[in-house]
Amino acid sequence: MKTTNSDPLAPFDAVVLMSFGGPEKPADVLPFLQNVTRGRGIPDERLEEVGEHYYMFGGKSPINEQNQRLFRALQREFESRGIAVPLLWGNRNWHPYLTDVVRKQAREHGARKYLAIDTSAYSSYSSCRQYREDFAAAVSTLDAEGLSVEFDKIRQYYNHPGFAKAQLDCVRRGLAELAMRAGSLDGKRHKILYVTHSIPTSMQESSQRFTPGYAQQHEELIAWISGQLNESEQLDAELVYCSRSGSPTTPWLEPDINDRLRELSRSGIEAVLAVPIGFVSDHMEVKYDLDTEAAQTAREEGLTFLRAESLGVSPIFASGLVDLAIERAAQVRGEQVESQVISGSRPLGPGSGACSMNCCEGPKSKRALPAWATGSIPG
């Protein structure tokens, strides 16, 4: 399989929607968590405790169905633009596994060059570089089987207009509902908490070596959203975190949303809109950490708690992801491309929007990735 020169995604032979993956039934939960934590020495007893979050929802993560919906939205976008390159779906930690999907496509259709669209908008080891390490592992596995493949990926897109405008829409709908519940918005009694997944502070430090770091990228987007809101929509806002894990002695980004809710209640705040800005859909972190745990904390503190929608299959978001794929394909073809970014932001990386070969190194990073795995463009 070879793409034609007229296809906007040439020279790629296939595009892969790449995500985290999640269990489909109770029997999947422990094997899934073992995949996620492999090499970290976490005993099964502890994983079973973590698994209770999944068992509360029938042992099934919502992420796979959400990715299937996003996959179909991207397919529709491909069709509307006349893009003939096949779209695939592969995961890091559960079926369908990336390596299995690519092996089948390579054997049956001869696809060799793959472009990944991932579901993480921000830069850090876990949200970007680890995906690139997954690509490198897939390449190594398939090479041993006599299949030569290459991977590239779209840039991190926290500042792409498609992602940012879709987030803005979610915030506005959330504020409208909060105003309806409360009668009107009150800047003295109401507040917006933008929520993202916490990471170790060491990972945060690594993420800001070459670009605005993980936390700074969120803050940049929050500032842009605040600047787009009408005067009647303006509320004080801040970034908080959820889903902290690991050793309690390891520092992670704070404040945790539950701690902040307690502080806000005691300072006179009466209602909070939680915006899951760090997640593209209702992952388990959203369904449990926000809709269950944070909502319970708010009830205990007497706070009105409303959670804004996540992006899901927003047409603006899906269209933006395809724009990013087309942007990356043009860069690989050697064309001069002006990356689309929100006002006040700047493209990531060394001119191309790609990553440095030693960007966002984490505790598992043993060496710099090969050039093909970073998406870097020489020169």
Side-chain angles (χ1 to χ4, degrees), residues 17-24 54 57 60-76 87 89 91 95-96 119 276 279-288 291 307 309-314 317-318 321:
L17 175 63
M18 175 71 170
S19 192
F20 194 79
E24 295 281 1
Y54 291 93
F57 295 90
K60 181 176 181 178
S61 169
I63 194 172
N64 287 334
E65 289 182 359
Q66 292 161 8
N67 282 327
Q68 289 170 352
R69 290 195 290 270
L70 180 58
F71 180 86
R72 291 192 290 270
L74 291 173
Q75 280 185 317
R76 292 191 293 269
L87 179 66
W89 170 37
N91 287 327
H95 307 282
T119 54
F279 308 94
V280 301
S281 61
D282 289 357
H283 299 177
M284 186 57 70
E285 291 88 347
V286 175
K287 300 299 291 182
Y288 179 80
D291 294 352
R307 198 263 291 175
E309 300 171 2
S310 55
L311 301 185
V313 292
S314 157
F317 175 48
L321 290 177

Side-chain angles (χ1 to χ4, degrees), residues 57 62 66 167 170-171 173-175 177-178 181 191-195 242 257 261 271-295 298 303-312:
F57 295 90
Q66 292 161 8
Q167 290 283 9
C170 292
V171 173
R173 287 193 294 270
L175 287 171
E177 185 174 347
L178 182 61
R181 288 193 186 185
K191 192 176 181 74
I192 302 174
L193 294 182
Y194 290 96
V195 192
C242 68
I257 184 172
L261 287 171
V272 167
L273 175 65
V275 181
I277 198 171
F279 308 94
V280 301
S281 61
D282 289 357
H283 299 177
M284 186 57 70
E285 291 88 347
V286 175
K287 300 299 291 182
Y288 179 80
D289 294 357
L290 301 188
D291 294 352
T292 304
E293 190 175 45
L303 286 168
T304 296
F305 181 85
L306 178 65
R307 198 263 291 175
E309 300 171 2
S310 55
L311 301 185

Side-chain angles (χ1 to χ4, degrees), residues 339-361:
S339 296
Q340 298 180 59
V341 295
I342 55 177
S343 58
S345 187
R346 61 182 177 83
L348 290 174
S352 68
C355 295
S356 162
M357 284 190 289
N358 55 348
C359 188
C360 290
E361 291 178 319

